[in-house]
Amino acid sequence: MSREGIRELQSKRLQETVRRVYENVPFYQKAFQEIGLEPGDIKSVDDLSKLPFTVKQDLRDNYPFDLFAVPKSELVRVHASSGTTGKPIVVGYTQNDINNWADLMARCFAMAGATKDDTVQIAYGYGLFTGGLGCHYGAERLGATVVPISGGNTKRQLMLMQDFGTTVLACTPSYALYLAEEAVHMGIDLPASQLRIGVFGAEPWSDNMRKELENKMGIDAYNIYGLSEVIGPGVSMECQCKNGMHINEDYFIAEVVDPETLEPLPYGQKGELVFTSLLKEAFPVIRYRTRDISVLIEEKCDCGRTFVRMERVAGRTDDMLIIRGVNVFPSQIESVLLAIGETEPHYQLVVDRKGAMDDLEIWVEVSDKMFSDEIRRLEELERKLRNEIQSVLGISAKIKLVEPRTIPRSEGKAKRIVDKREL
Ligand SMILES: [Zn+2]
C-alpha cells in the first residue's frame, strides 16, 4: 500500500475508534469532555495530537474491566500483567480481536520467513502473559506445526527441539541464550540441528546479542515487539532485512513523543513510543504511552514493505537508570560486553549509593576457560571493560568478573538491574 493509502486507511479507522471509545468508555468520554473535544473533531491522522494520552496508571485505576468498550458477554478472553505486587493490569479481547491478532502474528512469522512447513516451538510463557498464546494463535493461523511447550524445563525443550525437528524458536532473547548454553553442556550441536529462525522479543536486547545468538544456534534471529496494553506480541516485527521492525500500521498508529514535554517528534528523532489501536473492539487504546524508547524510520525498506519501521527499543523510561545524572540503559552494557567478546553476555547492574555518590557495579560472567586463566589476563580484561564502558556511557563503573553460571538465569524476562538505592 502507498503511504498515502495507509494514511487514508488509518484516518478512517481512527475516526471509528474515537467514536467507539467516546460512546462506550466513560473514562475516554470524560477525558474528551475535559478538553472540549468531540469525536467529530478527529477527521484524520493529522488530528491525532488533539487526543489525550493514556498511561498505565489509567489501566490500574479502571481495574479490572472499566476501560472495555464492549459488554462482558462479548469478551472471549482476558490477559493480565504478572505483577507481583498490587493489582495487575487487565486487557480483553472479542472474537474479532482474537482473529485479528492471529492474522497479525501469522504475518509476523511470515516476515521472518516461516511457512506452514515449519515447526514452531513456543517457549514464551503461556497463561495470563500475552507472549505464549499470542504466538500460538499466529503460528497456527500460518498453518505451521505448533509445539506449545511454554517457558522453562530447559532440558526437555532441547530434547523435543531435536526429536520434533523444531525449525522456529519463539522466546525471550535471554532465554534463547540460556538454551544455547545448556545445549553446549548437554553436547547438543544446535547449529547442526534443523533450527533456522528465532523470533525473539519481550525485552530490550542489542544487535550484538543477535549476532551471538545467530552464531551459537545457527539461526537467523529476528526482533518482535509488542505489549499487552496495545495487543500483545505483533505490534511490529523485523523483516529479513533486519534493519528495524515494521509497525503493523493497518492496526496501529505509532508516534514518538518527547517523554518530558509530550510533544510529538518527527521521524528520525528518539523518544517515547505511543500507540493508538485502530481495530480493537474490546480494549481500544488512545495514544498509549509505552515507556519504550525508540526512533521511527520512514525511509522505504529494501524488502519493499511501506510500513514505517521502529528501531530496536533502546530501553524503557522506567528501566532507565539515572546514575550521577547520566541516563544508562542495560542494553548499552550488553552491547559493550558482546563487542569485546571475551565474556559471556550474562550481566547484572548493581547500583548503590555511597554517601551522596551513586555507585555502579557491573557483574559480568567470564567463560570457564578465561576463569581458569592467570590473574593478569583477568585484570587486563577488567581494565578493558572499564575503559570501554567509561567511553560509551560517559561515567565510570566498577567491573566485577564473576565465575561462570553465577548470575541467575531467567526463563522469561531477564533481571538486569539490582538497584539498592533508596530514592
Ligand atoms: Zn523490510
Side-chain angles (χ1 to χ4, degrees), residues 349-384:
L349 278 59
V350 183
V351 197
D352 207 349
R353 182 164 283 182
K354 306 263 165 72
M357 271 294 263
D358 291 333
D359 198 47
L360 172 62
E361 197 169 79
I362 303 171
W363 293 30
V364 183
E365 270 185 25
V366 295
S367 61
D368 277 309
K369 190 184 154 294
M370 191 64 152
F371 209 76
S372 58
D373 244 331
E374 34 185 320
I375 298 282
R376 196 168 49 81
R377 273 202 63 200
L378 287 174
E379 284 173 350
E380 205 174 293
L381 175 63
E382 201 181 294
R383 190 182 47 78
K384 200 158 145 192

mmCIF file of all heavy atoms in Angstrom, residues 349-384:
data_model
loop_
_atom_site.group_PDB
_atom_site.id
_atom_site.type_symbol
_atom_site.label_atom_id
_atom_site.label_comp_id
_atom_site.label_asym_id
_atom_site.label_seq_id
_atom_site.Cartn_x
_atom_site.Cartn_y
_atom_site.Cartn_z
ATOM 1 N N LEU A 349 23.503 -5.235 36.572
ATOM 2 C CA LEU A 349 23.947 -3.912 37.020
ATOM 3 C C LEU A 349 23.516 -3.729 38.464
ATOM 4 O O LEU A 349 22.340 -3.845 38.770
ATOM 5 C CB LEU A 349 23.289 -2.824 36.169
ATOM 6 C CG LEU A 349 23.908 -2.496 34.816
ATOM 7 C CD1 LEU A 349 23.959 -3.711 33.907
ATOM 8 C CD2 LEU A 349 23.138 -1.379 34.139
ATOM 9 N N VAL A 350 24.484 -3.481 39.331
ATOM 10 C CA VAL A 350 24.170 -3.269 40.736
ATOM 11 C C VAL A 350 24.442 -1.807 41.068
ATOM 12 O O VAL A 350 25.572 -1.340 40.922
ATOM 13 C CB VAL A 350 25.009 -4.204 41.638
ATOM 14 C CG1 VAL A 350 24.616 -4.030 43.100
ATOM 15 C CG2 VAL A 350 24.828 -5.657 41.197
ATOM 16 N N VAL A 351 23.377 -1.114 41.457
ATOM 17 C CA VAL A 351 23.532 0.317 41.747
ATOM 18 C C VAL A 351 23.333 0.546 43.231
ATOM 19 O O VAL A 351 22.415 -0.001 43.842
ATOM 20 C CB VAL A 351 22.476 1.162 40.992
ATOM 21 C CG1 VAL A 351 22.910 2.621 40.965
ATOM 22 C CG2 VAL A 351 22.270 0.649 39.594
ATOM 23 N N ASP A 352 24.206 1.318 43.806
ATOM 24 C CA ASP A 352 24.108 1.630 45.230
ATOM 25 C C ASP A 352 24.486 3.092 45.419
ATOM 26 O O ASP A 352 25.036 3.713 44.517
ATOM 27 C CB ASP A 352 25.054 0.713 46.028
ATOM 28 C CG ASP A 352 24.536 0.520 47.450
ATOM 29 O OD1 ASP A 352 23.603 1.249 47.855
ATOM 30 O OD2 ASP A 352 25.080 -0.351 48.150
ATOM 31 N N ARG A 353 24.175 3.615 46.583
ATOM 32 C CA ARG A 353 24.567 4.996 46.844
ATOM 33 C C ARG A 353 25.476 5.033 48.059
ATOM 34 O O ARG A 353 25.078 4.646 49.143
ATOM 35 C CB ARG A 353 23.330 5.868 47.053
ATOM 36 C CG ARG A 353 23.684 7.332 47.274
ATOM 37 C CD ARG A 353 22.486 8.214 47.103
ATOM 38 N NE ARG A 353 22.173 8.402 45.674
ATOM 39 C CZ ARG A 353 21.187 9.174 45.227
ATOM 40 N NH1 ARG A 353 20.396 9.785 46.068
ATOM 41 N NH2 ARG A 353 20.969 9.305 43.941
ATOM 42 N N LYS A 354 26.722 5.471 47.820
ATOM 43 C CA LYS A 354 27.679 5.583 48.911
ATOM 44 C C LYS A 354 27.792 7.060 49.243
ATOM 45 O O LYS A 354 28.340 7.815 48.443
ATOM 46 C CB LYS A 354 29.049 5.025 48.489
ATOM 47 C CG LYS A 354 29.011 3.601 47.959
ATOM 48 C CD LYS A 354 29.360 2.576 49.038
ATOM 49 C CE LYS A 354 28.976 1.158 48.639
ATOM 50 N NZ LYS A 354 29.821 0.576 47.590
ATOM 51 N N GLY A 355 27.238 7.462 50.369
ATOM 52 C CA GLY A 355 27.200 8.888 50.684
ATOM 53 C C GLY A 355 26.278 9.576 49.689
ATOM 54 O O GLY A 355 25.155 9.159 49.486
ATOM 55 N N ALA A 356 26.774 10.572 48.997
ATOM 56 C CA ALA A 356 25.952 11.274 48.024
ATOM 57 C C ALA A 356 26.199 10.752 46.615
ATOM 58 O O ALA A 356 25.588 11.205 45.670
ATOM 59 C CB ALA A 356 26.252 12.771 48.085
ATOM 60 N N MET A 357 27.105 9.785 46.471
ATOM 61 C CA MET A 357 27.527 9.324 45.150
ATOM 62 C C MET A 357 26.860 8.015 44.761
ATOM 63 O O MET A 357 26.837 7.061 45.534
ATOM 64 C CB MET A 357 29.051 9.105 45.161
ATOM 65 C CG MET A 357 29.848 10.324 44.783
ATOM 66 S SD MET A 357 29.572 10.766 43.074
ATOM 67 C CE MET A 357 30.982 9.976 42.324
ATOM 68 N N ASP A 358 26.333 7.977 43.536
ATOM 69 C CA ASP A 358 25.832 6.713 43.004
ATOM 70 C C ASP A 358 27.018 5.860 42.586
ATOM 71 O O ASP A 358 27.976 6.352 42.010
ATOM 72 C CB ASP A 358 24.956 6.952 41.778
ATOM 73 C CG ASP A 358 23.658 7.630 42.129
ATOM 74 O OD1 ASP A 358 23.210 7.466 43.272
ATOM 75 O OD2 ASP A 358 23.097 8.322 41.259
ATOM 76 N N ASP A 359 26.869 4.595 42.856
ATOM 77 C CA ASP A 359 27.944 3.675 42.592
ATOM 78 C C ASP A 359 27.408 2.588 41.656
ATOM 79 O O ASP A 359 26.447 1.910 41.994
ATOM 80 C CB ASP A 359 28.337 3.079 43.954
ATOM 81 C CG ASP A 359 29.690 2.457 43.917
ATOM 82 O OD1 ASP A 359 30.607 3.107 43.393
ATOM 83 O OD2 ASP A 359 29.805 1.318 44.397
ATOM 84 N N LEU A 360 28.007 2.478 40.476
ATOM 85 C CA LEU A 360 27.562 1.441 39.534
ATOM 86 C C LEU A 360 28.592 0.328 39.471
ATOM 87 O O LEU A 360 29.765 0.561 39.181
ATOM 88 C CB LEU A 360 27.366 2.043 38.127
ATOM 89 C CG LEU A 360 27.086 1.050 36.989
ATOM 90 C CD1 LEU A 360 25.787 0.274 37.224
ATOM 91 C CD2 LEU A 360 27.034 1.762 35.642
ATOM 92 N N GLU A 361 28.107 -0.865 39.775
ATOM 93 C CA GLU A 361 28.985 -2.021 39.680
ATOM 94 C C GLU A 361 28.376 -2.948 38.628
ATOM 95 O O GLU A 361 27.177 -3.193 38.648
ATOM 96 C CB GLU A 361 29.033 -2.723 41.040
ATOM 97 C CG GLU A 361 30.187 -3.671 41.193
ATOM 98 C CD GLU A 361 30.334 -4.142 42.647
ATOM 99 O OE1 GLU A 361 29.569 -5.026 43.059
ATOM 100 O OE2 GLU A 361 31.196 -3.608 43.366
ATOM 101 N N ILE A 362 29.202 -3.420 37.710
ATOM 102 C CA ILE A 362 28.682 -4.304 36.675
ATOM 103 C C ILE A 362 29.266 -5.691 36.883
ATOM 104 O O ILE A 362 30.489 -5.869 36.845
ATOM 105 C CB ILE A 362 29.021 -3.763 35.274
ATOM 106 C CG1 ILE A 362 28.455 -2.344 35.130
ATOM 107 C CG2 ILE A 362 28.456 -4.672 34.195
ATOM 108 C CD1 ILE A 362 28.904 -1.636 33.878
ATOM 109 N N TRP A 363 28.388 -6.626 37.146
ATOM 110 C CA TRP A 363 28.815 -8.011 37.327
ATOM 111 C C TRP A 363 28.787 -8.681 35.961
ATOM 112 O O TRP A 363 27.762 -8.632 35.273
ATOM 113 C CB TRP A 363 27.876 -8.761 38.274
ATOM 114 C CG TRP A 363 27.919 -8.281 39.685
ATOM 115 C CD1 TRP A 363 28.189 -7.009 40.126
ATOM 116 C CD2 TRP A 363 27.671 -9.063 40.857
ATOM 117 N NE1 TRP A 363 28.130 -6.952 41.493
ATOM 118 C CE2 TRP A 363 27.813 -8.200 41.967
ATOM 119 C CE3 TRP A 363 27.358 -10.405 41.076
ATOM 120 C CZ2 TRP A 363 27.629 -8.644 43.284
ATOM 121 C CZ3 TRP A 363 27.176 -10.847 42.373
ATOM 122 C CH2 TRP A 363 27.320 -9.971 43.473
ATOM 123 N N VAL A 364 29.885 -9.286 35.611
ATOM 124 C CA VAL A 364 29.984 -9.907 34.299
ATOM 125 C C VAL A 364 30.536 -11.316 34.459
ATOM 126 O O VAL A 364 31.524 -11.521 35.162
ATOM 127 C CB VAL A 364 30.947 -9.114 33.386
ATOM 128 C CG1 VAL A 364 30.984 -9.721 32.000
ATOM 129 C CG2 VAL A 364 30.560 -7.649 33.322
ATOM 130 N N GLU A 365 29.898 -12.255 33.775
ATOM 131 C CA GLU A 365 30.416 -13.622 33.819
ATOM 132 C C GLU A 365 31.523 -13.808 32.800
ATOM 133 O O GLU A 365 31.401 -13.357 31.665
ATOM 134 C CB GLU A 365 29.298 -14.609 33.483
ATOM 135 C CG GLU A 365 28.553 -15.061 34.692
ATOM 136 C CD GLU A 365 27.536 -16.125 34.359
ATOM 137 O OE1 GLU A 365 27.698 -16.841 33.349
ATOM 138 O OE2 GLU A 365 26.570 -16.232 35.128
ATOM 139 N N VAL A 366 32.578 -14.459 33.208
ATOM 140 C CA VAL A 366 33.616 -14.797 32.231
ATOM 141 C C VAL A 366 33.468 -16.276 31.883
ATOM 142 O O VAL A 366 32.790 -17.028 32.578
ATOM 143 C CB VAL A 366 35.036 -14.506 32.766
ATOM 144 C CG1 VAL A 366 35.234 -13.018 32.981
ATOM 145 C CG2 VAL A 366 35.300 -15.257 34.050
ATOM 146 N N SER A 367 34.079 -16.682 30.804
ATOM 147 C CA SER A 367 33.956 -18.069 30.369
ATOM 148 C C SER A 367 34.773 -18.987 31.287
ATOM 149 O O SER A 367 35.674 -18.530 31.991
ATOM 150 C CB SER A 367 34.435 -18.202 28.928
ATOM 151 O OG SER A 367 35.785 -17.817 28.868
ATOM 152 N N ASP A 368 34.466 -20.265 31.231
ATOM 153 C CA ASP A 368 35.203 -21.260 32.022
ATOM 154 C C ASP A 368 36.699 -21.145 31.764
ATOM 155 O O ASP A 368 37.507 -21.144 32.684
ATOM 156 C CB ASP A 368 34.762 -22.680 31.613
ATOM 157 C CG ASP A 368 33.483 -23.088 32.332
ATOM 158 O OD1 ASP A 368 33.436 -22.960 33.569
ATOM 159 O OD2 ASP A 368 32.538 -23.525 31.650
ATOM 160 N N LYS A 369 37.016 -21.045 30.492
ATOM 161 C CA LYS A 369 38.413 -21.041 30.067
ATOM 162 C C LYS A 369 39.126 -19.818 30.661
ATOM 163 O O LYS A 369 40.195 -19.923 31.245
ATOM 164 C CB LYS A 369 38.463 -20.984 28.546
ATOM 165 C CG LYS A 369 39.847 -21.214 27.976
ATOM 166 C CD LYS A 369 39.842 -21.039 26.469
ATOM 167 C CE LYS A 369 41.217 -20.647 25.980
ATOM 168 N NZ LYS A 369 41.610 -19.308 26.456
ATOM 169 N N MET A 370 38.463 -18.684 30.500
ATOM 170 C CA MET A 370 39.020 -17.426 30.990
ATOM 171 C C MET A 370 39.237 -17.478 32.495
ATOM 172 O O MET A 370 40.231 -16.999 33.016
ATOM 173 C CB MET A 370 38.036 -16.310 30.632
ATOM 174 C CG MET A 370 38.554 -14.930 30.836
ATOM 175 S SD MET A 370 39.937 -14.597 29.765
ATOM 176 C CE MET A 370 39.794 -12.870 29.565
ATOM 177 N N PHE A 371 38.266 -18.069 33.198
ATOM 178 C CA PHE A 371 38.325 -18.048 34.652
ATOM 179 C C PHE A 371 39.501 -18.863 35.191
ATOM 180 O O PHE A 371 40.057 -18.562 36.242
ATOM 181 C CB PHE A 371 37.010 -18.539 35.256
ATOM 182 C CG PHE A 371 36.736 -17.930 36.597
ATOM 183 C CD1 PHE A 371 36.293 -16.613 36.687
ATOM 184 C CD2 PHE A 371 36.951 -18.632 37.774
ATOM 185 C CE1 PHE A 371 36.067 -16.025 37.916
ATOM 186 C CE2 PHE A 371 36.725 -18.046 39.007
ATOM 187 C CZ PHE A 371 36.280 -16.742 39.083
ATOM 188 N N SER A 372 39.869 -19.898 34.466
ATOM 189 C CA SER A 372 40.974 -20.734 34.937
ATOM 190 C C SER A 372 42.329 -20.142 34.515
ATOM 191 O O SER A 372 43.373 -20.629 34.856
ATOM 192 C CB SER A 372 40.821 -22.151 34.375
ATOM 193 O OG SER A 372 40.793 -22.082 32.972
ATOM 194 N N ASP A 373 42.270 -19.060 33.749
ATOM 195 C CA ASP A 373 43.489 -18.406 33.260
ATOM 196 C C ASP A 373 44.211 -17.645 34.365
ATOM 197 O O ASP A 373 43.726 -17.524 35.474
ATOM 198 C CB ASP A 373 43.103 -17.415 32.158
ATOM 199 C CG ASP A 373 43.708 -17.831 30.830
ATOM 200 O OD1 ASP A 373 44.773 -18.465 30.870
ATOM 201 O OD2 ASP A 373 43.108 -17.538 29.780
ATOM 202 N N GLU A 374 45.351 -17.086 33.998
ATOM 203 C CA GLU A 374 46.097 -16.348 35.010
ATOM 204 C C GLU A 374 45.421 -15.018 35.372
ATOM 205 O O GLU A 374 44.708 -14.428 34.576
ATOM 206 C CB GLU A 374 47.531 -16.105 34.539
ATOM 207 C CG GLU A 374 47.644 -15.892 33.052
ATOM 208 C CD GLU A 374 49.078 -15.771 32.599
ATOM 209 O OE1 GLU A 374 49.874 -15.129 33.293
ATOM 210 O OE2 GLU A 374 49.395 -16.303 31.528
ATOM 211 N N ILE A 375 45.657 -14.621 36.591
ATOM 212 C CA ILE A 375 45.080 -13.393 37.146
ATOM 213 C C ILE A 375 45.359 -12.176 36.248
ATOM 214 O O ILE A 375 44.509 -11.336 36.039
ATOM 215 C CB ILE A 375 45.671 -13.104 38.562
ATOM 216 C CG1 ILE A 375 45.315 -14.233 39.525
ATOM 217 C CG2 ILE A 375 45.212 -11.759 39.100
ATOM 218 C CD1 ILE A 375 43.915 -14.194 40.057
ATOM 219 N N ARG A 376 46.568 -12.146 35.701
ATOM 220 C CA ARG A 376 46.976 -10.996 34.906
ATOM 221 C C ARG A 376 46.014 -10.763 33.732
ATOM 222 O O ARG A 376 45.642 -9.640 33.429
ATOM 223 C CB ARG A 376 48.407 -11.209 34.386
ATOM 224 C CG ARG A 376 49.096 -9.948 33.873
ATOM 225 C CD ARG A 376 50.604 -10.213 33.673
ATOM 226 N NE ARG A 376 50.825 -11.451 32.914
ATOM 227 C CZ ARG A 376 50.741 -11.539 31.587
ATOM 228 N NH1 ARG A 376 50.451 -10.489 30.857
ATOM 229 N NH2 ARG A 376 50.950 -12.703 30.974
ATOM 230 N N ARG A 377 45.588 -11.828 33.096
ATOM 231 C CA ARG A 377 44.674 -11.689 31.950
ATOM 232 C C ARG A 377 43.298 -11.192 32.402
ATOM 233 O O ARG A 377 42.644 -10.423 31.705
ATOM 234 C CB ARG A 377 44.514 -13.035 31.225
ATOM 235 C CG ARG A 377 45.586 -13.246 30.186
ATOM 236 C CD ARG A 377 45.137 -14.255 29.147
ATOM 237 N NE ARG A 377 43.975 -13.825 28.383
ATOM 238 C CZ ARG A 377 43.183 -14.647 27.711
ATOM 239 N NH1 ARG A 377 43.408 -15.940 27.726
ATOM 240 N NH2 ARG A 377 42.155 -14.182 27.021
ATOM 241 N N LEU A 378 42.871 -11.660 33.569
ATOM 242 C CA LEU A 378 41.587 -11.200 34.101
ATOM 243 C C LEU A 378 41.643 -9.713 34.421
ATOM 244 O O LEU A 378 40.707 -8.968 34.143
ATOM 245 C CB LEU A 378 41.199 -11.995 35.351
ATOM 246 C CG LEU A 378 40.739 -13.434 35.118
ATOM 247 C CD1 LEU A 378 40.539 -14.152 36.445
ATOM 248 C CD2 LEU A 378 39.445 -13.486 34.312
ATOM 249 N N GLU A 379 42.774 -9.307 34.983
ATOM 250 C CA GLU A 379 42.938 -7.884 35.322
ATOM 251 C C GLU A 379 42.928 -7.029 34.065
ATOM 252 O O GLU A 379 42.357 -5.946 34.027
ATOM 253 C CB GLU A 379 44.245 -7.665 36.094
ATOM 254 C CG GLU A 379 44.141 -8.115 37.539
ATOM 255 C CD GLU A 379 45.465 -8.056 38.286
ATOM 256 O OE1 GLU A 379 46.527 -7.851 37.643
ATOM 257 O OE2 GLU A 379 45.437 -8.228 39.516
ATOM 258 N N GLU A 380 43.538 -7.566 33.051
ATOM 259 C CA GLU A 380 43.603 -6.861 31.773
ATOM 260 C C GLU A 380 42.204 -6.702 31.181
ATOM 261 O O GLU A 380 41.826 -5.644 30.688
ATOM 262 C CB GLU A 380 44.469 -7.705 30.823
ATOM 263 C CG GLU A 380 45.126 -6.943 29.712
ATOM 264 C CD GLU A 380 46.065 -7.899 28.971
ATOM 265 O OE1 GLU A 380 47.080 -8.327 29.572
ATOM 266 O OE2 GLU A 380 45.732 -8.257 27.839
ATOM 267 N N LEU A 381 41.414 -7.779 31.251
ATOM 268 C CA LEU A 381 40.039 -7.752 30.734
ATOM 269 C C LEU A 381 39.188 -6.750 31.516
ATOM 270 O O LEU A 381 38.416 -5.975 30.934
ATOM 271 C CB LEU A 381 39.426 -9.152 30.837
ATOM 272 C CG LEU A 381 37.949 -9.273 30.459
ATOM 273 C CD1 LEU A 381 37.725 -8.910 28.997
ATOM 274 C CD2 LEU A 381 37.446 -10.697 30.716
ATOM 275 N N GLU A 382 39.380 -6.757 32.828
ATOM 276 C CA GLU A 382 38.630 -5.846 33.685
ATOM 277 C C GLU A 382 38.923 -4.393 33.306
ATOM 278 O O GLU A 382 38.013 -3.572 33.196
ATOM 279 C CB GLU A 382 39.062 -6.106 35.133
ATOM 280 C CG GLU A 382 38.081 -5.629 36.163
ATOM 281 C CD GLU A 382 38.609 -5.920 37.560
ATOM 282 O OE1 GLU A 382 38.743 -7.106 37.922
ATOM 283 O OE2 GLU A 382 38.920 -4.951 38.274
ATOM 284 N N ARG A 383 40.184 -4.114 33.051
ATOM 285 C CA ARG A 383 40.594 -2.759 32.689
ATOM 286 C C ARG A 383 39.989 -2.357 31.339
ATOM 287 O O ARG A 383 39.451 -1.270 31.165
ATOM 288 C CB ARG A 383 42.131 -2.708 32.615
ATOM 289 C CG ARG A 383 42.713 -1.294 32.479
ATOM 290 C CD ARG A 383 44.241 -1.347 32.373
ATOM 291 N NE ARG A 383 44.707 -2.358 31.413
ATOM 292 C CZ ARG A 383 44.708 -2.195 30.088
ATOM 293 N NH1 ARG A 383 44.286 -1.072 29.567
ATOM 294 N NH2 ARG A 383 45.139 -3.169 29.292
ATOM 295 N N LYS A 384 39.997 -3.300 30.406
ATOM 296 C CA LYS A 384 39.459 -3.066 29.060
ATOM 297 C C LYS A 384 37.949 -2.749 29.137
ATOM 298 O O LYS A 384 37.463 -1.810 28.511
ATOM 299 C CB LYS A 384 39.686 -4.338 28.247
ATOM 300 C CG LYS A 384 39.635 -4.169 26.756
ATOM 301 C CD LYS A 384 40.416 -5.339 26.162
ATOM 302 C CE LYS A 384 39.865 -5.843 24.865
ATOM 303 N NZ LYS A 384 40.459 -7.133 24.491
#
